[in-house]
Amino acid sequence: MTPGPGQLNGAEAAADLRQAADLRQAGEGRQKGDGPQAGEPLLAVKGLTIDLPGGAVQPGLVEDVTFDVHKGRAVALIGESGCGKSLTSMAILGLLPAAVRVTAGSVMFDGVDLLTCSKRQLRRVRGGPVGMVFQEPMSSLNPTMTVGDQIAEVRRLHLGERRSVALKQARELLERVGIPKAEKRLRSYPHEMSGGMQQRVMIAAAIACEPKLLIADEPTTALDVTIQAEILELLRDLRRDLDLAVLLVTHDLGVVADFCDDVVVMYAGHIAERTPVDGLFYEPKHPYSSALLSAVPQSGRARTNLTVISGRVPSAGQFPTGCRFEPRCEHSVDSFCRRPQADTALADDHRTRCGRVAAGELTLKGAVRG
Amino acid sequence: MTTTAATTTGTATATATRRSRPLNVVRSIVRRPASAVAVGFVLLLVFLAIAGPLVSPHDPEVQDLGNRFAGLSSTHLLGTDEFGRDVASRIIQASRIAVTAPLISVGVALLIGLPLGLWAGLRGGVVDAVAGRLADTILSLPALVGALAIVAVLGPGLVNAMLAVGIIFAPGLFRVVRGATLAVAEETFVESAVAIGSSTRRTLWVHILPNIAAPLLVQVTILMGVALLAEASLSFIGLGVQPPDASWGSMLKSAYTNQFDSPFSVVPSGVAMVLTVLAFNTIGDSIRDAVGLRRRT
């Protein structure tokens, strides 16, 4: 299934954002990273380029992706399917399929470049300071191992705990992620649980060693809407309690508005726009971001046509030589947009790859007015 | 949160009665009459192999040349052979070989084929390329001819013969393991095992092996039967068990030589062999059915 832009679920995005602003004004403040980003980032991805070796597909699948994740902050990686979001998130922990390779760039985590460090070092990071949650909870758990053993395995691998000790910890983790009758559940097999429960187990395993960063690749996509909300609620609690930074790969603009501090919008292997979350919704600086926002169904607009982005994401190898969004962009100007666009900083924390916006020729429509 | 608690307790009670999968498989195998009989037969064979000397009516190696080719009687239940030895006792003695010979050869095949197949299936690369070509080469030889060549190098004898058979089996097992691993390696849980810091070795043995256990078990039980036949064939032509030890194959050979003096003597060892192979295959089939693998015809 390839969710198109029309399926981006952001119906509540606008409402969420408004609510958030209200809360902030009321002085309560949402549980989001506080204040401006200071000091060294926890995770710094720089110039990440992923290619299919052999040169069959040029330019690469992901090109020159740069972003930071600071301690305790949540960063969203959004875009349509096939834009390179998942590849980017997998490259961080060296989980790319054998057929593709990182050909340039660095992924600094806590002072270590995960792309060049030894296998042993990488193994120590995986599941230790960086946890990962996948999209499909049903297939992410080993069907032949009990849930307890799978959570305990993380602690046994990283902390060298004995099985009995680790199982005791696994029990607490199950309780922590809101699974009732944890003692009994330890001995359950994954097929005996619902999808939502399985995702909770995955999260329990991912946070078993108290990571600093959680990479979640569409953690709620495969779940029912009500369960989605519960899982997000759980992630939010965990962020608060563990001061966890989160890199969230998602299609869901509602989730972005609700959960994240910063947004990285990817299109066709490039970063189109990078901004704090408010910037995306109030003043998008790339036509693609703006188009995504307008493709979200909104309440109060019944019986009107839903805006869609015509065409589809070009596959790798067929990227236009100029701006990659140009063929689908309603603001494109031939002469200008057919040239490659540079990544330009508009403000400290807001960057775009649209030359027209950067030059001040174009002002785009956000999802939220006023 | 309260709503989750309510719904999840509901599912908890519903699923709590279900048991783990391995137990279910064993139960469903024993429940079928055919496979229950087969399991019983193999257990009997194992019992005879262990307790043979205690239950056999005569010493299997004592000759009684005045009593050659005796017919069936209460003293000699299955008669005597060309040296007057008790056939029933020799069948029992040979059951030891019928149990150990397949274990040796399948063990050797597993030792070679399993690690290579797992590694090749998950990582591919050089191991896959080299082991794959090697497997193709061995598979292109007729199995028995290959075994003969290996025995010619190692010298005759049960252990050498079964080593040879094991080497011949290894490529087939390698292929089965590799194929099953390839399929399982696609699953996200393998990726998530890597993502929690599991090493390649650990991923293979802890996460992949239990998930390919079903096709592997089927293949192993069927190979046991084939190994028994291979042992009999090699003993029949004198490259396996050496006299005075008895194997069903060597017994069949001597019965064949003397078939005009004693037509009945091909029956005991022949039937023992047929039943044993049938038992192994039946067990293999019912494991396959129990774990829901498709029958390939």
Side-chain angles (χ1 to χ4, degrees):
Chain A
M1 214 188 73
T2 323
Q7 281 160 287
L8 280 160
N9 171 12
E12 320 91 64
D16 278 338
L17 201 75
R18 255 182 238 119
Q19 202 183 356
D22 293 348
L23 279 177
R24 246 174 250 170
Q25 278 167 4
E28 285 182 40
R30 270 198 309 168
Q31 193 263 313
K32 284 196 169 189
D34 301 319
Q37 307 151 12
E40 280 287 293
L42 184 63
L43 175 80
V45 178
K46 251 197 202 79
L48 183 73
T49 300
I50 302 173
D51 279 317
L52 272 169
V57 173
Q58 293 297 343
L61 306 168
V62 168
E63 231 186 347
D64 194 22
V65 164
T66 301
F67 64 92
D68 295 338
V69 180
H70 284 262
K71 193 165 178 298
R73 288 179 77 88
V75 175
L77 215 50
I78 65 169
E80 285 164 272
S81 296
C83 285
K85 315 183 296 286
S86 284
L87 278 179
T88 303
S89 71
M90 309 230 284
I92 293 168
L93 283 183
L95 295 173
L96 289 174
V100 298
R101 215 146 286 159
V102 174
T103 47
S106 67
V107 175
M108 297 297 287
F109 176 80
D110 240 6
V112 182
D113 186 351
L114 298 182
L115 295 179
T116 55
C117 70
S118 69
K119 276 185 176 174
R120 179 176 297 229
Q121 233 170 341
L122 189 58
R123 276 213 301 273
R124 222 171 287 149
V125 172
R126 292 169 174 168
V130 182
M132 184 137 186
V133 177
F134 292 91
Q135 179 174 358
E136 297 272 345
M138 300 82 179
S139 60
S140 302
L141 291 164
N142 185 339
T144 56
M145 266 171 104
T146 62
V147 157
D149 276 327
Q150 292 190 55
I151 300 171
E153 186 185 15
V154 187
R155 290 190 72 90
R156 291 169 71 191
L157 278 173
H158 288 276
L159 308 173
E161 282 179 359
R162 293 214 326 274
R163 181 161 179 263
S164 54
V165 180
L167 276 175
K168 225 168 268 164
Q169 296 293 330
R171 200 203 130 151
E172 276 174 28
L173 283 161
L174 279 182
E175 279 165 1
R176 180 69 197 78
V177 298
I179 290 185
K181 294 192 185 167
E183 182 74 44
K184 206 163 145 193
R185 279 299 172 186
L186 281 180
R187 292 186 299 273
S188 299
Y189 283 88
H191 71 267
E192 298 168 341
M193 301 182 140
S194 66
M197 294 258 270
Q198 288 173 342
Q199 196 59 295
R200 283 172 197 268
V201 171
M202 280 305 295
I203 292 170
I207 61 164
C209 293
E210 294 180 8
K212 297 177 191 161
L213 173 67
L214 185 72
I215 301 174
D217 188 352
E218 306 191 29
T220 57
T221 306
L223 304 173
D224 283 350
V225 179
T226 49
I227 309 293
Q228 281 183 11
E230 286 173 9
I231 295 289
L232 283 175
E233 193 58 41
L234 169 63
L235 285 176
R236 202 193 312 278
D237 289 349
L238 292 174
R239 276 190 66 197
R240 189 187 53 229
D241 299 350
L242 304 174
D243 197 19
L244 193 64
V246 177
L247 177 63
L248 187 74
V249 177
T250 183
H251 285 299
D252 192 329
L253 286 174
V255 171
V256 174
D258 195 28
F259 188 79
C260 296
D261 304 303
D262 301 304
V263 191
V264 177
V265 182
M266 287 191 72
Y267 183 79
H270 264 159
I271 289 183
E273 183 175 1
R274 218 173 87 206
T275 168
V277 71
D278 290 2
L280 178 77
F281 286 96
Y282 290 114
E283 320 169 60
K285 296 293 187 197
H286 195 283
Y288 180 57
S289 314
S290 168
L292 281 182
L293 290 172
S294 60
V296 168
Q298 288 183 6
S299 53
R301 291 220 205 136
R303 292 171 212 284
T304 57
N305 285 335
L306 183 64
T307 323
V308 295
I309 309 177
S310 60
R312 53 187 310 157
V313 186
S315 22
Q318 287 156 12
F319 295 147
T321 45
C323 169
R324 291 184 179 180
F325 187 57
E326 182 267 329
R328 302 172 71 188
C329 181
E330 54 183 13
H331 306 288
S332 79
V333 173
D334 272 8
S335 53
F336 185 80
C337 293
R338 293 263 164 97
R339 287 197 302 259
Q341 305 288 308
D343 185 27
T344 319
L346 302 169
D348 268 358
D349 49 4
H350 203 153
R351 303 180 72 90
T352 178
R353 206 178 268 275
C354 180
R356 293 196 65 207
V357 172
E361 285 176 31
L362 192 62
T363 316
L364 296 159
K365 185 171 74 135
V368 185
R369 283 280 152 78
Chain B
M1 258 334 164
T2 43
T3 48
T4 2
T7 48
T8 43
T9 23
T11 49
T13 43
T15 52
T17 47
R18 256 193 275 170
R19 289 278 161 75
S20 61
R21 278 175 62 196
L23 216 68
N24 278 339
V25 170
V26 171
R27 197 183 302 150
S28 80
I29 288 170
V30 177
R31 266 197 194 143
R32 297 157 157 244
S35 50
V37 170
V39 170
F41 184 83
V42 170
L43 288 179
L44 174 73
L45 206 64
V46 171
F47 169 76
L48 286 181
I50 295 167
L54 301 176
V55 295
S56 76
H58 297 272
D59 186 328
E61 285 170 20
V62 167
Q63 303 186 358
D64 180 3
L65 292 176
N67 198 14
R68 299 170 68 212
F69 302 125
L72 315 186
S73 66
S74 54
T75 36
H76 296 294
L77 281 175
L78 296 173
T80 60
D81 65 4
E82 78 263 39
F83 298 111
R85 295 175 294 196
D86 181 50
V87 171
S89 304
R90 285 184 73 74
I91 291 277
I92 290 172
Q93 191 200 19
S95 68
R96 189 166 286 186
I97 281 159
V99 171
T100 50
L103 284 181
I104 295 174
S105 48
V106 174
V108 168
L110 276 175
L111 220 56
I112 302 171
L114 184 57
L116 283 177
L118 283 170
W119 186 276
L122 183 66
R123 302 296 294 269
V126 185
V127 174
D128 191 18
V130 173
R133 293 297 81 73
L134 214 61
D136 289 345
T137 313
I138 297 178
L139 284 171
S140 69
L141 292 172
L144 209 57
V145 175
L148 284 178
I150 297 172
V151 174
V153 174
L154 298 175
L158 176 74
V159 174
N160 287 350
M162 292 338 281
L163 280 179
V165 172
I167 292 169
I168 297 298
F169 282 173
L173 208 58
F174 164 80
R175 285 228 180 133
V176 169
V177 172
R178 176 181 174 274
T181 306
L182 267 178
V184 171
E186 295 284 301
E187 304 268 348
T188 324
F189 71 80
V190 175
E191 203 179 337
S192 74
V194 177
I196 60 162
S198 167
S199 61
T200 302
R201 202 185 340 157
R202 196 184 158 82
T203 308
L204 286 176
W205 295 106
V206 177
H207 293 280
I208 292 185
L209 184 58
N211 285 289
I212 65 164
L216 187 61
L217 271 177
V218 173
Q219 190 68 12
V220 161
T221 45
I222 287 171
L223 279 183
M224 297 282 272
V226 181
L228 184 77
L229 288 179
E231 183 275 328
S233 312
L234 287 171
S235 293
F236 190 88
I237 54 178
L239 293 176
V241 170
Q242 301 300 306
D245 282 340
S247 125
W248 295 340
S250 62
M251 290 174 70
L252 200 60
K253 166 70 175 170
S254 70
Y256 166 76
T257 326
N258 300 302
Q259 61 179 322
F260 296 110
D261 296 313
S262 169
F264 175 75
S265 50
V266 292
V267 174
S269 46
V271 167
M273 227 173 330
V274 168
L275 289 181
T276 309
V277 174
L278 202 61
F280 281 136
N281 286 357
T282 309
I283 294 173
D285 275 354
S286 50
I287 293 176
R288 177 168 53 195
D289 294 346
V291 298
L293 293 182
R294 276 286 162 82
R295 183 184 296 264
R296 256 185 297 169
T297 39

